[in-house]
Amino acid sequence: RFVHQDIEQGRWYIGGNAFYIGNAFLNTRDFVAHSRPYLRRLMEESGETANLAVVDNGEAVILAQVQCREMMRMMVPLGSRSPLHASGVGKALLAQMQDDDVAAVLHRRGLAAITEHTIRSAAVLRDTLTEIRSRGWAHDDEEHAIGLRCVAAAFYDEHGEALGAVSISGPRSRIVDARVPQLGRLVADIA
């Protein structure tokens, strides 16, 4: 049942078993495990901590991290959560959502002020998401923690749907304004 033939037309078609086996691959792939070499490369090339996150119940959840070698670095326990509107990975993932889905997240979660730099206006967030979609990467400028910056980009499945986001995070003293666009391109390329 991997293939079957239409005798009248003399054509062969892929059968149900081929579809079943293909779906077994999709259901068992572990993108977190596959991300390790990419996270390591991202850390090596940026010199900053690399992270992988997904959306869960309207929040960004860190699933994997490769810490940089610097004395001062960003470290969070795996499973840590952050608001989508106040994190690089969160904004990268929000930018991939349809406007109705973004509105639903905002309705459910709101725009809580985490720091004085957190986006608190739906209009500002909407403009920010448009900019992220245009350039391909997101930037958290001390929106989740004072002194911490993050640059992130979404990565996609075989259907073009965002699976998650990768980011680099580090202190504002190393992730300076002039370096942000370069890091954005790096993160987007690796994503």
Side-chain angles (χ1 to χ4, degrees), residues 12 16 38 43 97 99 153:
W12 287 89
Y38 297 100
M43 184 275 295
M97 295 179 184
D99 290 340

Side-chain angles (χ1 to χ4, degrees), residues 163-181:
L163 279 175
V166 292
S167 72
I168 54 140
S169 299
R172 182 178 178 81
S173 61
R174 287 198 307 266
I175 302 180
V176 296
D177 289 343
R179 195 171 173 223
V180 170

Side-chain angles (χ1 to χ4, degrees), residues 149-171:
R149 282 184 147 183
C150 178
V151 182
F155 61 91
Y156 308 89
D157 67 12
E158 65 279 356
H159 304 292
E161 300 288 327
L163 279 175
V166 292
S167 72
I168 54 140
S169 299

